[in-house]
Each structure stands twice: as structure tokens, then as C-alpha cells.
Amino acid sequence: MSISSPDTCISHNNNNLPNLSNKSNGMRGNKYNCNNSGTPRTRLERLLRERELRKFNKSLNDGETELLNNDSFSPDSFEAFSWFNDEASLETISANRNSTDGCERQDSRASRERLLVVANRLPVSAVRRGVDSWHLEISVGGLVSALLGVKEFETRWIGWAGVNVPDEIGQRALIKALAEKRCIPVFLDEEIVHQYYNGYCNNILWPLFHYLGLPQEDRLATTRSFQSQFDAYKKANQMFAEVVKEHYVEGDVVWCHDYHLMFLPKCLKERNRKMKVGWFLHTPFPSSEIHRTLPSRLELLRSVLAADLVGFHTYDYARHFVSACTRILGLEGTPEGVEDQGRLTRVAAFPIGIDSDRFIRALELPQVQDHMKELKERFAGRKVMLGVDRLDMIKGIPQKILAFEKFLEENPNWRDKVVLLQIAVPTRTDVPEYQKLTSQVHEIVGRINGRFGTLTAVPIHHLDRSLDFHALCALYAVTDVALVTSLRDGMNLVSYEFVACQASKKGVLILSEFAGAAQSLGAGAILVNPWNVTEVASSIGYALNMPADEREKRHHHNFVHVTTHTSQEWAATFVSELNDTIVEAQLRTRQIPPPLPIEVAVDRYAKSNNRLLILGFNATLTEPVDTLGRKGSQIKEMEPKLRPDLQEPLRKLCDDPKTTIVVLSGSDRSVLDDNFGDYSMWLAAENGMFLRATKGDWMTTMPENLNMEWVDSVKHVFEYFTERTPRSHFELRETSLIWNYKYADVEFGRLQARDLLQHLWTGPISNASLDVVQGSRSIEVRSVGVTKGAAIDRILGEIVHNKGMKEPIDYVLCIGHFLAKDEDIYTFFEPELPSEVPAPVRSHVTPPVRTSVSKLSTSRSLSREDRLKKHRPMPTIERSKSYHVNTDVFQSRVVDRMSLQEGSSVLDLQGDNYFSCSVARKRSNARYLLGSSDDVVKLLTELTNSWINGMNTDGSTMEGN
Ligand SMILES: O=P(O)(O)OC[C@H]1O[C@H](O[C@H]2O[C@H](CO)[C@@H](O)[C@H](O)[C@H]2O)[C@H](O)[C@@H](O)[C@@H]1O
Ligand SMILES: O=c1ccn([C@@H]2O[C@H](COP(=O)(O)OP(=O)(O)O)[C@@H](O)[C@H]2O)c(=O)[nH]1
């Protein structure tokens, strides 16, 4: 795809995604040139195209941003942030953009898409000045800084204004004041703030996510209050959801932020399933071993997974999250995200950035220059070291100061040549832990200044307050060494801001390896372990003595990163991926068969005369697959058991003379005997390789020449892996071998499975004629041709013969939780000529892959119709042969083809009387879906009722099956 930016025209395709097409070759400026031929098909193609489009928009924006920022850049106010400006200026920009485009733009989405940013804190905190008058101040913190730099969207911010407003007059006045800044308040009362924000968010989740553990002291009290804090957390999240709902307009992107709002995606999706919901975490997501300790671990993960896209600062945090979902919820983690019953929540890393231009431009402003001059004079003759942090235990302020003390202790010559300026912004001052930290820091600073200070100078200048933007920029610019020693930090934007302001000085950044920023600025910074005070002290020495050329190289590396990975890029990428996730989900959904129309299936059943029901066993007639987390990995029943609530309907259906039931399972014969021996039905064990009417003996339907010589070598491999994978086991069946790790540690099990597969593919059996079938937690090895689909015509032949059927089968219901390999059973009954019957109900985007059928069955090369007509009149030819161990109990036979009468078909389904149904497996070749075995119970019960009702009306009698 060749795309060149300014020469590009933009249109919409059906997916509502803009198309880029090159308008060169002398076809400029004609909107009809915008063709759709290059419609991207894959996710990556779509995202690449979006990226090109963003770059193109940015090149237009750059000029416009100048316009926007011209007069409105008032130093100390938030007017500096573009999206705070009023609607009118944005309209102007849009108009300018259209007129400069050269090709009529239908693309309003990229530049005007509405974005609802939902975060605990609004970018402004409100201070009450009177009954109905408010003063707004910019809130301090990385989240606010980053989001204020986002310019691409028409943004509304929903959040808490940091103040309790109990009265209606005050609320109304605040709503009005905030509306001018495109902010919408969520009113939280004092008690909720105490329990939700101070309690659950800042005393439980915050320390936990930063590896500081759950509160230890007063265990009982904590446990008791934990529940009420969690309740308040959920309630607060519901309140946010209500406000979102009120302001949501169809098509809006709703972007939820941070650990305060982990419950929000679920609340939003429950209110509106179609809402585009993204969630981004600004803190680290800890290892799943840490998250496991949280009492509400399941609920929080599940709620976050309701979002369409989940984002983190780094790949590590994303990996931890996926791992928590697999280990704690028992879900499937894929490179794309987390999958739950066919639904994918995309999980990815989106490292945040800053609005670097804003910092670079600010350095030119006179007031910033004045500040810089003052600072240079004040600290002349001394190197300036700088720390800027909220006064939070995660920032490692005590550790930083202790390291500085050690440096002064060991380097007396530096004592009057260096100063540490530490800006410690008060935060969460209602939480006792933060109050303790403040006193602790004051105490250490006092001690060190007492120890190394003189009458005229102290080594540490500690400020317990925030600075305005320009003072901060000046400080960054005059600094020689910045010290960021967070014990853990989601990203840390201070390090980015410092780099942005160092174009001329090229100072050194000492950066904690536990800050997310270490992933991006690690190459240019000096990385330290903040817990290692000795290492930090020596790094200070190294930084202060660093030669200019090394400083320059390091700075350049980081400067390029900071100026290219901006907050605008971050937001645009996130929103673009969120939009794409929705497109992708729609494509996936269209590949999913529709739910079984139970009424239709029952009605047709009642109206037919010779029905065949083929039922799988595992997860079809047993309890639903347990996905409730770790408990699911505990061994409950080694052997599958028929659900008690299915016994009665099954028995009644078996007693219906017009119905034949076959249970077709991968399980071995003894398991089917134990569960179904008392019913009047057919049992097909080991994927149909063994067959028995419950009144008779087992026989084999196996192809005669089935090669089983591979068994010993595979068994050897399986034994090896079973020994090395705790809680895995393998089953040796007559026709297959299965290694099962469903009770093992999921991640370790998967790694072992990967190794095992690699060994099977490349090892001693690599040339054998085998199928290696991967289940979600198992690996099965079978001879080629051992599938349910391959076995079914032999089974059918035997049944028709055995029952002496005179009429064709006019209704087939085939239900199972079958492996992909065995889905050939669904296709077996599908008409092969499209003209014969209407196509399955679902609409395909990509046609489902049709599993090829057995090569062993010669009749397979014929069409279904030919195959079934070709069958000879009755006498079944049975060729006995002994097979395997224990064959004394089983009579083994191979059944030849048959038909009802010369030329007539065994099946007469008239297209519509065929219901293939996948249970709890969404991507399937079946025509329909059933959610779980609960639905199977419902269906079979209704079939039973229909038959009983039918029998009463037409007066037919019950005969044996
Ligand atoms: O609103 P507060 O409770 O006073 O806290 C301020 C913010 O602190 C946290 O910031 C994080 O976000 C930054 C940007 O992504 C990141 O660089 C930093 O490492 C994080 O600590 C918190 O996550 C925000 O929600 C708070 O608003
Ligand atoms: O006096 C100050 C100190 C800090 N900040 C801002 O607070 C943010 C801190 O973000 P960071 O990601 O470093 O950490 P957080 O506080 O969000 O954990 C940065 O954007 C700083 O510019 C500020 O505006 N004034």
C-alpha cells in the first residue's frame, strides 16, 4: 500500500474506517478517486492505516495548534491546554482543516470523535468561594498532566472535583463552572470518599499494586472494614457509571482510568452493551502472586474484563494482568488478550508520554527565563540535583535522601558544591500512612541539614508544596542531575518532563529500575535499585562527574523518545486500538453461529417420525465446564458423570420408539457403560471407534488396517511429561493417547504442552501417520482417521441395519462440546450441494473452515447423496476380528454400507430438519450454539414434553427402542 501524506484522500468504507488512497498519477482533488480497493483485512493492516492517517492529520494539526495556542496561552492557567478551550475555536480548526484538504473530507471521526474520559479526579480541583461561587485549580499528578495534553478528540472529563458539595445550590453552581472547562462532576459524599478513595483505593489497592502488600496491622479491623470499603468502592463506581450514562451519546468512546474505577467497565457494559469501553491503568499491575492476596481479586478482574480494550504502561504489567486472569480466573490468555467463551478482551501496553512541545515552548517564555536566572544566581557555584514527587511512599523519598546523605558522607569535597532540591507535593493527606511519611521525611531532612549544613547554606531544600508549571519548567532546565528513585511507579512523568527541558544543559537522569519509565528511558538514564542506598550514592557521584560527551549521548537518546512518544500519540493510539477492537469483535461475532432456536428444534422434532439424536458426553451431558478460577483446577471427579437432572429426560427420550439416541464420546467404553448402561440407547466410545447398543455387546467400527505401532513411543513421551508436570496425567485408550493438564498450573502446563508438541512434531514419531489434536488443556494423539465424523457413517450403517429401519431418518439433532478435529461430525450431515437446502442461518464474513473427512472411508469420495443411495439392501456383512487386549468381551466387526431399499436414502432431512449444535464453544462449524449443558437440559426436557404431549393427542403407544 503506498501512502503519501499530503497527497492522500480520505473516505469511509462500510466499516466506518477511513480509507487512504494515493491521489497521484494526475488524478488530484477528485473525490471519486477515493476508491475502496485497498480495504485492509487484518488488524495490523487496519492499525497501520490508522497510524498513517494520524500522521497526516497531525501535519495539518500542527499549523492549527499554533493558531489555537496563540493568544490563549496564559502562563498560570489551564487555558494552555487545548481541549479546555471552547467549542468555537475547535469548530474554526475543523473548518480550516476541511478547506486545506484538497479532497472533500468525510472523515470527522479522527479529529472530532467524542471522548469521555472518566477518572476519579477531574483535572481541576474546586475550592468554594461562596454559596454559589467556585474557584478552579489544576490538580497535580501524572494522569492529569498526560490527559491535558490530548488534543485530537472532542473531550469531556467526568470525575470527582475533590470536594464535598452537600447542597443543591453549590452543586448547580459547580456543574456550571466546570461545564466551561468541559468537565462533569460526580458528587461523592464524605463517607463514600472516606471508604472508597482513602480506604479501598489508597489504603488497599494503591499499596498492593505497588508491591507494598495489604495493610498488616490490626488485622481483624482491616478484615472487617475491608468489606464495607469494597462495597463503597462498588457504589462509587456505580455513581460514576450513572453520570457517564447521562452524558453518553451513541458512538462516544468511553475511556476509564486507573485503579479507582476497576468496577466501572462492568457497570457501563451492563447499562449499554454497545458502548465502546476502554480501561487504562496508570499504576503497575503486580505479579499475579500479589494480586492473588486481594480478597476481591475475582470480582475486580472480571469487571475489568468487561472492557473492550485494557491498557497498561508496560508489557510487564500487561503480562501480569493476563497471567492473573489465567491463574486466578482460569481463562485463556492469548497474545491478543484474554478470551472467555469466545469473547476477547484485548490487553496491550500503551506507554504514556507528555506534551513535550508544551515544555519546550515554555522555556522560551520570559517568566520562565526570569525564574531560571534567579535559580542560577541563587545556586551559583553548586551543582543542582532535583527530586519532584508527590509525597507518597512509592516515590522512595526517604531512600533518596539517605542515599544523598551517604554521598555527602563519602565525598566531603562535594559538600559545599551540590544542593538537592526536593519538591514533595502533599497528597492523600487524610490517609494515616501518608501523614506518617510526612513526619518521617521531615525528620530525615532536618537531621541531614543539621549534620552537613552551614550558617549560610543547607544541602537539602525540601518543599512541602507544589510549584506552578513555569516554576517547574525553570527548575527542570537548571538542574544538573534529576533523581527519580521510586520504589515502584506506573510510569513517572517527572523523568520525561526533566528530559524535555534539558535541550541545552543535557543533565543526567538517575532513574529507578522499578519505574515504568525505565523501560523507555533506561538506555539514556543511569538505572538504579532505589533500595540499594550504596548504589544510588555512587550513581550520584558518577552523574555529577560525567563527561560532557557522555551526557550528550545519553540525553539525545532520551530526548528523541520523549519528543516522539507524546501524550497525544498515546491517547490516539489507545483510542484507535479501541475502535479497531470493536471492528475485530464484530468480525468475530459474525463467525459465531447463532443460538439454537429451541422452539423450532422442538417443533420439528414433534413433527418428524424417525429421529436421530447424537449427543456428546463431556461438557454436554455433564456439569458445565468450571471456569471459576483456581478452584476449577481442583480434582473433583476423575471420571465424568451424567448430570442428575438429565436422567429423567434422557430416559423418556430413549423410550420413544421414534427416537434413536447415540452418545458419541471420546471417553472409553467403561465410562459410557457406567453412565448409560441402564438406558436403551447406542454408545459410541473413543470417538466412535467402539459401538454398542446397550442391549448388546461392544463391537469395533475401527478401520481394519488402523496402525497402532506408534503407541509405545508416544506413551514414553507422555510419561516423561507427566512426571515433570505436577497434577497432569495421561490416559491410554485403545485408539488414542491423551495427556491432560487441566488440573496443573495453567501457565506451566501450557509451556510443557508446547515442549511436548515440539517434541512430537520433530521427534521419533514425526513421520508416523498420526493426528496430534490439541484441546484447551490436553494433547491427544490418534491414528489418522480417528474422528467422530469419520466414524459416524459406520455407526449409522450399523444402527439402521440393527433396528431394521424402513423409513429414512427425517430429523437429526447433533449436540456436543467437540474438539475442532471432531467437528467433522457436524459437516457429515450438511448437504454438500448448496442448492439442495438453504444455507445455515448464520451469515459468514469468512466461510468457516470445513474439516476434511476421513481418507479411510472410501465412500467419502462420493457425494453424500451418492454415498447414501449406493448402499446395498440389508444384509450387513460383519467381519469379525480380534483386536487388542480384553477382546474376549467385545465382538469386533466392521459394518459395510447399506441403504433402506435399492436407491433410497437413509437420510431425508429436507435441509431444515438438521440441528447441529456446539455447546459452550463459540467458534464452531455447527449451525447453532448452546451456552452450556444447562441449555442441553432445557432442550432435552422440552423435547420430552413435546413427545409426551404429542403422544397424548395422537394416542400412540410406547414401544421399546
Ligand atoms: O489523585 P491523587 O490521588 O492525588 O494522585 C495523583 C495521581 O497519582 C497516580 O499517578 C500515576 O499516573 C501517572 C501517569 O500515568 C504515572 O506516571 C504515575 O507513575 C502514576 O503514579 C494515580 O495513578 C492517578 O490516578 C492519580 O491521579
Ligand atoms: O509541583 C508540582 C509537582 C509535580 N507536578 C506534576 O505532577 C506530575 C507527576 O506525575 P508522575 O507521573 O511523575 O507521578 P504521579 O504523581 O502521577 O504518581 C507531573 O506531571 C508534574 O509536572 C506539578 O504539576 N507540580
Side-chain angles (χ1 to χ4, degrees), residues 744-803:
D745 177 280
V746 194
E747 282 177 2
F748 184 57
R750 255 180 224 150
L751 283 177
Q752 292 289 80
R754 216 170 55 190
D755 262 11
L756 189 154
L757 279 173
Q758 189 145 6
H759 185 73
L760 287 179
W761 283 326
T762 55
I765 52 143
S766 56
N767 290 326
S769 183
L770 297 178
D771 272 331
V772 179
V773 185
Q774 256 182 288
S776 63
R777 305 274 165 88
S778 66
I779 291 175
E780 186 173 345
V781 181
R782 314 168 176 174
S783 280
V784 168
V786 178
T787 70
K788 293 184 168 81
I792 192 65
D793 65 346
R794 298 191 287 269
I795 294 172
L796 202 56
E798 179 63 23
I799 293 175
V800 169
H801 162 70
N802 185 291
K803 293 186 81 169

Side-chain angles (χ1 to χ4, degrees), residues 866-919:
D866 286 348
R867 227 169 41 231
L868 296 170
K869 278 182 181 159
K870 170 179 166 285
H871 299 317
R872 303 234 155 269
M874 266 312 139
T876 309
I877 305 162
E878 293 168 0
R879 279 171 271 148
S880 298
K881 76 178 180 85
S882 61
Y883 181 74
H884 276 289
V885 277
N886 294 339
T887 37
D888 41 330
V889 237
F890 304 113
Q891 192 188 5
S892 132
R893 18 186 195 175
V894 175
V895 183
D896 251 10
R897 315 280 161 238
M898 46 83 235
S899 66
L900 299 176
Q901 292 159 3
E902 191 70 56
S904 77
S905 244
V906 169
L907 293 170
D908 181 15
L909 301 180
Q910 291 153 22
D912 287 351
N913 278 2
Y914 174 47
F915 297 88
S916 56
C917 244
S918 167
V919 180

Side-chain angles (χ1 to χ4, degrees), residues 140-142 145 388 390 395 423 425 466-467 472 492-494 497:
V140 174
S145 305
V388 178
R390 277 181 306 103
K395 301 290 180 181
I423 313 299
V425 182
S466 62
L467 298 182
L472 200 57
N492 191 283
L493 294 183
V494 163
E497 293 166 4

Side-chain angles (χ1 to χ4, degrees), residues 74 479 639 679 721 755 760:
S74 72
T479 295
E639 298 295 358
Y679 295 80
F721 278 91
D755 262 11
L760 287 179

Side-chain angles (χ1 to χ4, degrees), residues 391-409:
L391 190 45
D392 193 307
M393 38 281 183
I394 67 148
K395 301 290 180 181
I397 299 174
Q399 287 80 352
K400 173 176 358 191
I401 300 173
L402 290 174
F404 185 62
E405 180 184 29
K406 191 165 172 54
F407 170 75
L408 294 179
E409 210 172 72

